């Protein structure tokens, strides 16, 4: 077992020796004595202890005898010192610990039969272990239960004042939403200020509570722990890849738990750099979508303008006949497909194989096209690595982190916790650049509020400042002097005065951050939706690569340019080849050798390299009539894309629209065939998170109704189209992938990257770099003074979370535009007042609400909701290199009605 550093882990503490139960032990001076004891393999009781946060010392259970002291010592708060002589066992210590248990039980309600923690309670275990059978002076607290929170109930009659909930919230998550308060003669845990709990609702306080004092409102009184089946799987909400336990009873999910609990309180403190085992609000409380009453349970076929239920056999026969007829009449390029990155790797692999072999088309794409492809293609072009360069441990141990264009706490909450630990434990300097007042900016050492849409100009300024200050790494730039000279020439034409005016940053800020990033031993840039989902995303990622290259932060341990993903398997979607550019393993589809290799493996003739189409091109070809049949698996373009994309017109012109989904989406309502698919909880497979870790998805429950796993449906469809696929399970598909991509299944370990810049910097760089650093004109006209931004909320992800009643309870669609209080006051508006929101695409009426995280001059609407249809005010910009559509920012007027 490792030891939690007393201060900064980079500062080596003195080694000491002490005696524990007659054995000499070597430890670090000043660390918790309890940790030293645990390091020897001896576990002594400790109800207020957890290795993920600092010792607290309230429960009185971890008592040991120290030579020279008369009374027992609380080992968790005692600091190890040279020459200590410690005894951990003996009748006196057993009786002292028993007395501590009795003290807790004397004011504890003996309501175990109705307590949700019954059978999973540390106080119960300690009472049994210490033989507590009689309580002479027991008394009740009679404290009213606090049920004001939307997701958690606080029963302080059961609380043992261990403070684990307070400490995990304050020390690990840095939210600090709970406190002790003296009420009714007892210390009680209450939300800050004794107000209704208003926090991130991650539920980690619930996870570490060793008794039943904090309970899950959605599963209260529904179970006993031994009645439930617990399945370890991977969360389906974002690309962090958090491990979780789906706990099911009969045919429903009762609750979600995680590796973080009082049961796993003993661990290696250094392992927290790879995560603390917790979950976010979506993972813990967003499970009700799995057994939602809105789930599709039968195939639907359109007859006389209506969707009617049909048996699987009849629906599949009709569907295959339609596909065959269209292929014979119009050719394979009349068929296209779109797939969601919420599918498993195995299903994504089959999808592209189905499209390319059974249908004979390379017109296919996935939801990774909404932004992640900008990063993948830029990173692959620059350093030969088509994914994020850094893992959680790199982020945690970094000394300088630039977070640009990312509200990381809202989109990827557990990655945000890694950055929080970098700040708290490793003393990292964190720089945030965003046009919103983000949660991370409140914790950052260098928070900068920039003008909307100026992220690219910020990078320009950092690159220029690094060169002007001469904080470049001579070894890095010396290998490619011509490339460096070309870059210097490109940024020389940029005016720092113009960049400061454009971004709202001072020239001193540019200089300070460039120097900080260059001089730190471990530096990382983390970019996300504000870069990859906005115009010029591809070029802006390349500019970040320039910054990292000239400062020597590419290819060095713990350094790099990295990103995160919104959906759980966007990286897997790219790796499995669900893009017209790639075959599995990110082999270029245009490479004849790569194409021949897969053609032989699949015993098929693959479409020509010139026939591919990505999302935007597919929708355009649907509108033109070139594409006659579209197979959509889990995607909902009608609800996702703005009206300016004319998605409805394209879908309505199709002769055949097939939607395969767990829910009847807006797109599915237009379909000719709707096939009911399983959720991730009803099938096996894997996801690949943004770090490159391949993580297991395990079946926790039987499929709902007649729904089937996506791989099962595709196998049946392929065989009916003349293929000979004999997959009987996800394992069969994995075996095939393993043969084609040896080493891909890496048992949950991040695959290390090896950036190589030589090809990029020596071939074409000097002729193209100038294009990236051209002066850009002002972004908006003065006639539209507000920037309308659309993005994620912490409580929601995509359209899946809106099917979870728990998350809707916490964060319902208010149907209101979020604005800064200062702007509302300037416009003479009260909370809830109606305004007219006008863009170049149109206008609508909408109510307003105050949101202090929205910067002055901007307004915000959650992208997860389409009522009112704010997204239809957006203009779409398509990246000319990657085909990524950008539609998350627009300049608007806001006028009182």
């Amino acid at each position: 077992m490792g030891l939690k550093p007393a201060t900064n882990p980079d500062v080596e503490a003195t080694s000491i020796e002490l005696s524990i139960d007659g054995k000499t032990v070597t430890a670090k001076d000043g660390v918790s004595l309890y940790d030293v004891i645990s390091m020897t393999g001896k576990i002594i009781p400790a109800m207020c202890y957890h290795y993920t946060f600092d010792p607290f010392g309230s429960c009185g259970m971890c008592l040991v005898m120290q030579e020279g002291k008369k009374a027992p010592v609380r080992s968790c708060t005692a600091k190890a010192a040279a020459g200590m002589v410690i005894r951990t066992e003996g009748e006196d210590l057993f009786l002292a610990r028993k007395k501590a248990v009795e003290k807790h039980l004397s004011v504890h309600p003996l309501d175990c039969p109705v307590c949700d923690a019954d059978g999973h309670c540390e106080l119960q275990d300690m009472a049994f272990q210490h033989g507590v059978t009689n309580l002479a002076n027991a008394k009740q607290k009679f404290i009213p239960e606090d049920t004001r929170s939307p997701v958690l109930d606080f029963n302080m009659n059961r609380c043992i004042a261990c403070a684990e909930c307070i400490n995990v919230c304050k020390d690990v998550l840095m939210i600090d939403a709970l406190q002790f308060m003296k009420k009714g003669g007892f210390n009680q845990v209450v939300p800050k200020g004794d107000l209704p709990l208003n926090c991130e609702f991650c539920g980690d306080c619930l996870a570490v509570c060793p008794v039943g004092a904090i309970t899950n409102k959605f599963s209260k009184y529904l179970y006993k722990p031994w009645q439930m089946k617990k399945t370890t799987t991977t969360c389906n909400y974002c690309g962090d890849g958090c491990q979780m336990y789906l706990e099911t009873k009969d045919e429903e999910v009762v609750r979600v738990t995680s590796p973080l609990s009082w049961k796993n309180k003993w661990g290696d403190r250094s392992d927290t750099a790879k995560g603390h085992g917790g979950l976010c609000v979506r993972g813990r409380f967003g499970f009700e979508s799995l057994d939602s009453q809105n789930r599709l349970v039968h195939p639907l076929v359109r007859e006389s303008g209506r969707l009617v239920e049909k048996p699987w056999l009849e629906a599949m026969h009709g569907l295959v006949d339609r596909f065959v007829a269209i292929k014979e009449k119009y050719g394979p390029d009349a068929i296209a497909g779109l797939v969601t990155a919420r599918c498993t790797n195995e299903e994504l692999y089959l999808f592209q194989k189905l499209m390319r072999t059974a249908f004979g088309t390379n017109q296919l794409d996935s939801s990774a096209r909404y932004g992640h492809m900008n990063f993948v293609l830029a990173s692959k072009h620059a350093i030969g690595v088509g994914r994020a360069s850094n893992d959680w441990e790199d982020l945690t141990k970094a000394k300088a982190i630039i977070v640009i264009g990312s509200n990381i706490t809202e989109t990827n909450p557990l990655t945000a916790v890694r950055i929080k630990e970098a700040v708290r434990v490793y003393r990292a300097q964190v720089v945030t650049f965003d046009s919103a007042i983000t949660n991370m900016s409140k914790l950052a050492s260098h928070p900068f509020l920039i003008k909307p849409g100026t992220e690219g100009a910020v990078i320009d300024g950092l690159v220029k400042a690094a060169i002007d200050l001469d904080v470049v790494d001579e070894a890095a730039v010396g290998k490619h002097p011509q490339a460096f000279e070309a870059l210097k020439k490109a940024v020389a034409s940029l005016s720092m005065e113009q960049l400061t005016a454009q971004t709202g940053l001072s020239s001193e800020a540019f200089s300070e951050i460039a120097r900080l990033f260059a001089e730190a031993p471990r530096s990382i840039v983390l970019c996300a939706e504000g870069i990859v989902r906005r115009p010029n995303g591809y070029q802006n990622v390349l500019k970040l690569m320039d910054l990292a290259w000239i400062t020597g932060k590419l290819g060095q341990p713990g350094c790099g340019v990295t990103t995160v993903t919104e959906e759980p398997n966007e990286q897997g979607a790219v790796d499995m080849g669900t893009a017209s550019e790639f075959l599995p393993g990110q082999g270029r589809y245009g490479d004849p050798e790569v194409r021949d290799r897969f053609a032989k493996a699949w015993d098929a003739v693959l479409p020509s390299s010139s026939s591919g189409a990505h999302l935007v091109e597919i929708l355009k070809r649907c509108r033109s009539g070139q594409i006659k049949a579209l197979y959509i698996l889990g995607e909902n373009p009608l609800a996702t894309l703005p009206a300016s994309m004319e998605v409805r017109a394209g879908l309505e012109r199709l002769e055949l629209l097939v939607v395969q989904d767990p829910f009847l989406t807006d797109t599915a309502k237009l379909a000719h065939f709707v096939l009911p698919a399983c959720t991730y909880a009803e099938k096996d497979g894997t996801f690949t998170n943004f770090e490159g870790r391949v993580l297991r998805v395990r079946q926790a429950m039987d499929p709902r109704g007649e729904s089937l796993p996506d791989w099962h449906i595709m196998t049946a469809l392929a065989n009916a189209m003349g293929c000979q696929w004999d997959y009987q399970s996800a394992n069969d598909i994995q075996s095939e992938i393993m043969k084609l991509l040896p080493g891909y299944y890496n048992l949950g370990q991040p695959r290390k990257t090896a950036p190589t810049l030589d090809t990029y910097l020596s071939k074409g760089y000097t002729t193209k770099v100038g294009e990236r650093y051209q002066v850009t004109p002002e972004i908006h006209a003065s006639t539209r003074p507000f920037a309308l931004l659309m993005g994620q909320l912490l409580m929601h992800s995509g359209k899946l979370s809106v099917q979870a009643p728990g998350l809707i309870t916490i964060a319902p669609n208010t149907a209101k535009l979020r604005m800064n209080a200062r702007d509302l006051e300037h416009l003479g508006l009260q909370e809830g007042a109606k305004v007219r929101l006008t863009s170049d695409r149109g206008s609508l009426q909408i109510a307003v609400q105050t949101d202090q995280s929205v910067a002055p001059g901007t307004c915000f609407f959650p992208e997860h909701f389409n009522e009112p249809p704010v997204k239809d005010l957006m203009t779409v910009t398509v990246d000319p290199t990657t085909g990524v559509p950008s539609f998350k920012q627009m300049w608007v007027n806001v006028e009182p009605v």
Side-chain angles (χ1 to χ4, degrees):
M1 175 176 291
L3 302 176
K4 183 167 187 176
T7 55
N8 190 323
D10 293 335
V11 178
E12 188 69 21
T14 306
S15 291
I16 59 170
E17 287 188 349
L18 64 159
S19 173
I20 298 176
D21 293 333
K23 296 181 179 180
T24 300
V25 176
T26 301
K28 297 295 183 182
D29 186 35
V31 301
S32 167
L33 178 59
Y34 187 92
D35 283 338
V36 180
I37 295 169
S38 298
M39 182 182 64
T40 68
K42 184 179 290 292
I43 300 299
I44 55 178
M47 289 194 293
C48 66
Y49 171 89
H50 202 286
Y51 80 99
T52 58
F53 46 77
D54 291 332
F56 185 65
S58 68
C59 72
M61 292 295 295
C62 65
L63 301 173
V64 297
M65 292 304 300
Q66 179 181 347
E67 189 176 83
K69 292 185 181 289
K70 293 181 180 179
V73 173
R74 298 188 185 207
S75 61
C76 67
T77 54
K79 292 185 177 180
M84 272 184 168
V85 178
I86 302 296
R87 176 168 56 86
T88 67
E89 299 296 342
E91 182 67 15
D92 55 343
L93 288 173
F94 179 84
L95 292 175
R97 293 167 187 162
K98 180 177 181 179
K99 188 175 181 179
V101 177
E102 290 173 339
K103 179 183 176 183
H104 289 300
L105 280 172
S106 67
V107 291
H108 192 86
L110 303 180
D111 62 350
C112 301
V114 296
C115 178
D116 282 355
D118 184 26
H120 189 82
C121 170
E122 192 168 17
L123 187 56
Q124 271 186 350
D125 292 351
M126 291 298 101
F128 178 78
Q129 185 177 327
H130 291 85
V132 178
T133 57
N134 185 40
L135 296 171
N137 300 307
K139 59 180 179 181
Q140 293 287 311
K141 296 180 187 175
F142 298 113
I143 300 171
E145 189 173 19
D146 183 352
T147 60
R148 294 175 295 173
S149 160
V151 296
L152 298 172
D153 290 341
F154 290 79
N155 187 332
M156 289 298 101
N157 293 309
R158 298 170 182 161
C159 179
I160 61 172
C162 68
E164 288 203 48
C165 56
I166 294 174
N167 288 333
V168 76
C169 186
K170 181 178 182 178
D171 197 19
V172 177
L173 301 165
M174 298 180 74
I175 298 170
D176 199 16
L178 301 172
Q179 69 177 80
F180 275 131
M181 180 177 283
K182 195 83 168 181
K183 292 173 66 179
F186 296 96
N187 257 347
Q188 299 183 34
V189 175
V190 298
K192 278 294 175 76
D194 200 19
L195 300 170
L197 184 64
N198 183 20
C199 62
E200 294 180 12
F201 297 115
C202 65
D204 280 358
C205 57
L206 167 70
V208 298
C209 179
V211 290
I214 305 178
T215 53
N216 183 334
K217 199 183 285 280
F218 302 126
S219 56
K220 194 174 179 180
Y221 304 138
L222 294 179
Y223 67 92
K224 288 296 179 183
W226 58 84
Q227 294 176 316
M228 295 187 293
K229 183 180 99 175
K230 180 186 274 190
T231 305
T232 304
T233 190
T234 303
C235 183
N236 191 237
Y237 273 112
C238 81
D240 285 353
C242 300
Q243 295 303 281
M244 58 193 273
Y245 305 132
L246 283 176
E247 301 196 28
T248 53
K249 183 173 178 284
D250 300 325
E251 295 301 314
E252 67 173 333
V253 181
V254 176
R255 67 175 182 177
V256 170
T257 55
S258 73
L260 178 70
S261 78
W262 62 265
K263 283 275 193 182
N264 74 345
K265 64 172 59 191
W266 299 281
D268 188 335
R269 291 202 189 269
S270 65
D271 278 351
T272 59
K274 301 175 184 177
H276 73 297
L279 291 173
C280 75
V281 59
R282 301 191 294 258
R284 197 177 299 278
F285 299 115
F287 61 86
E288 290 169 298
S289 62
L290 298 173
D291 43 27
S292 167
Q293 294 303 309
N294 296 328
R295 285 281 304 278
L296 286 169
V297 293
H298 300 286
L300 303 176
V301 178
R302 187 167 297 280
E303 289 184 352
S304 304
R306 305 189 301 116
L307 288 171
V308 296
E309 291 183 3
K310 292 288 184 181
W312 265 109
L313 195 59
E314 183 179 341
M316 289 299 285
H317 276 309
L319 175 58
V320 171
D321 288 345
R322 296 281 294 277
F323 266 130
V324 169
I326 287 172
K327 186 177 178 181
E328 288 180 350
K329 184 176 181 181
Y330 303 106
D333 282 343
I335 303 173
L338 301 173
V339 65
T340 178
R342 297 191 190 277
C343 283
T344 64
N345 284 317
E346 295 70 30
E347 290 165 339
L348 291 163
Y349 170 82
L350 278 202
F351 176 80
Q352 59 82 33
K353 184 179 177 182
L354 172 74
M355 299 306 299
R356 286 162 170 154
T357 60
F359 294 137
T361 180
N362 192 35
Q363 300 176 129
L364 60 108
D365 213 342
S366 76
S367 49
R369 185 68 61 181
Y370 288 116
H372 188 50
M373 284 297 289
N374 268 333
F375 186 89
V376 168
L377 291 172
S379 181
K380 194 169 181 66
H381 176 56
I383 61 175
V385 178
R387 66 171 176 85
S389 300
N390 303 99
D391 58 26
W392 270 2
E393 188 169 6
D394 288 340
L395 275 171
T396 307
K397 294 181 178 179
K399 301 301 290 183
I401 305 171
I402 293 178
V403 181
I404 182 167
S406 175
N407 194 342
I408 189 72
T409 306
E410 303 278 315
T411 62
N412 298 76
L414 272 297
T415 298
V417 174
R418 298 299 93 236
I419 300 176
K420 291 176 182 180
E421 184 161 336
V423 172
R424 178 176 55 88
V425 178
Y426 291 83
R427 308 296 191 265
Q429 300 287 296
V430 173
V431 184
T432 58
F433 294 110
D434 209 289
S435 54
I437 304 165
T438 66
N439 175 277
M440 191 55 66
S441 71
K442 298 172 186 176
L443 302 173
S445 58
H446 298 76
F448 294 103
L449 196 63
I450 63 174
K451 293 181 180 179
T454 62
E455 287 84 359
V458 169
I459 306 169
D460 291 347
L462 292 175
V463 174
K464 182 175 178 62
I467 292 174
D468 290 348
L469 291 170
D470 195 24
V471 291
V472 300
D473 183 277
E474 295 299 336
V477 300
K479 294 178 182 177
H480 299 280
Q482 290 182 324
F484 184 55
E485 285 302 317
L487 177 59
K488 286 172 65 177
K489 182 179 178 182
V491 300
S493 62
L494 296 175
S495 161
M496 188 59 78
E497 290 74 19
Q498 183 176 351
L499 291 174
T500 59
Q502 190 174 346
T503 62
L505 299 178
S506 67
S507 58
E508 291 78 13
F510 281 120
S511 298
E512 180 184 8
I513 303 312
R515 188 180 296 280
L516 183 154
F517 183 78
E519 294 179 352
R522 298 189 300 274
S523 300
I524 292 175
V525 179
L526 189 149
C527 65
E529 68 279 4
I531 295 290
V532 301
R533 299 183 74 176
R534 298 285 172 81
N536 301 312
Y538 175 80
Q539 296 291 351
N540 285 337
V541 174
L542 288 180
K543 288 194 286 190
L544 288 173
M545 294 290 178
D546 289 341
L547 176 65
W549 161 51
I550 64 174
T551 54
K553 306 305 180 187
L554 284 179
Q556 297 301 312
C559 298
V561 179
T562 200
T563 191
V564 287
T565 57
E566 177 186 353
E567 294 185 356
N569 210 16
E570 290 184 49
Q571 188 59 49
V574 177
D575 293 345
M576 292 298 110
T578 55
S580 55
E581 299 98 322
F582 292 132
L583 279 158
Q586 294 191 24
R588 287 281 181 183
Y589 194 84
D591 186 331
E593 289 186 14
V594 174
R595 210 162 56 253
D596 287 348
R597 176 172 168 252
F598 282 94
K600 290 175 182 176
W602 295 335
D603 191 23
V605 177
L606 298 185
S608 71
S609 59
S610 61
S611 62
H614 55 61
L615 169 70
V616 176
E617 293 165 337
I618 287 171
L619 293 174
K620 189 182 296 183
R621 292 176 186 182
C622 288
R623 292 193 299 273
S624 70
Q626 182 178 342
I627 290 176
K628 306 293 184 180
L630 184 60
Y631 181 35
I632 299 180
L633 202 162
E635 270 297 277
N636 189 10
L638 192 60
T640 302
L641 294 164
S644 60
M645 290 287 284
E646 301 180 73
V647 176
R648 181 179 290 275
L651 298 181
E652 288 179 342
R653 189 165 183 187
L654 292 168
E655 292 185 17
L656 176 61
L657 174 60
V658 183
V659 174
Q660 190 168 303
D661 202 281
F663 296 95
L664 188 65
T665 62
D666 293 345
T667 304
K669 291 174 184 177
L670 297 179
H672 302 96
F673 290 80
V674 181
L675 308 179
C678 288
T679 65
Y680 73 102
E682 298 152 326
K683 60 190 176 187
D684 293 311
T686 58
F687 290 150
T688 302
N689 80 336
F690 80 90
E691 302 168 278
R693 283 189 293 150
V694 178
L695 302 160
R696 285 284 179 185
V697 176
R698 294 180 175 89
Q699 183 175 350
M701 53 201 292
D702 292 333
R704 193 166 181 84
E706 294 182 14
S707 63
L708 291 171
D710 291 297
W711 68 264
H712 191 287
I713 300 170
M714 286 187 284
T715 298
L717 183 56
N719 286 333
M721 293 287 294
C723 298
Q724 294 183 342
W725 293 0
D726 57 357
Y727 309 115
Q728 300 298 312
S729 68
N731 286 339
D732 294 338
I733 308 168
Q734 285 177 20
S735 297
E736 183 170 316
I737 297 172
M738 286 178 189
K739 293 175 183 176
L740 291 168
L741 307 177
Y744 188 80
Y745 287 93
N746 52 20
L747 302 177
Q749 296 301 313
R751 289 192 308 284
K752 293 300 179 183
T753 61
T756 55
L757 280 160
D758 292 347
T759 301
Y760 169 60
L761 294 175
S762 59
K763 293 186 178 179
Y765 182 90
T766 56
T767 59
K768 295 181 179 179
V769 68
E771 300 173 9
R772 286 207 286 279
Y773 295 94
Q774 291 179 349
V775 178
T776 54
E778 271 299 312
I779 299 173
H780 68 102
S782 58
T783 53
R784 303 212 188 277
F786 287 93
L788 170 62
L789 306 174
M790 295 191 72
Q792 275 194 254
L793 296 179
L794 173 64
M795 313 302 173
H796 291 288
S797 178
K799 300 294 187 288
L800 179 66
S801 59
V802 299
Q803 299 288 348
L807 297 178
I808 291 294
T809 298
I810 304 169
N813 180 15
T814 63
K816 294 177 181 178
L817 186 70
R818 300 168 184 235
M819 297 185 69
N820 188 279
R822 192 194 310 173
D823 288 332
L824 292 183
E825 183 180 354
H826 179 72
L827 292 169
L829 297 170
Q830 300 293 322
E831 183 89 12
K834 285 285 186 74
V835 298
R836 177 163 294 280
L837 190 63
T838 306
S839 76
D840 293 343
R841 304 298 312 182
S843 67
L844 54 78
Q845 286 192 20
I846 187 171
V848 294
Q849 71 179 82
T850 304
D851 188 335
Q852 288 306 113
S853 68
V854 176
T858 65
C859 45
F860 176 85
F861 193 79
E863 65 184 8
H864 323 288
F865 301 115
N866 283 335
E867 196 56 47
V870 173
K871 70 176 175 62
D872 290 339
L873 299 180
M874 296 291 183
T875 295
V876 178
T877 303
V878 180
D879 192 288
T881 304
T882 64
V884 169
S886 302
F887 50 90
K888 297 302 179 186
Q889 179 180 326
M890 190 72 186
W891 292 95
V892 296
N893 285 350
V894 180
E895 301 163 313
V897 175

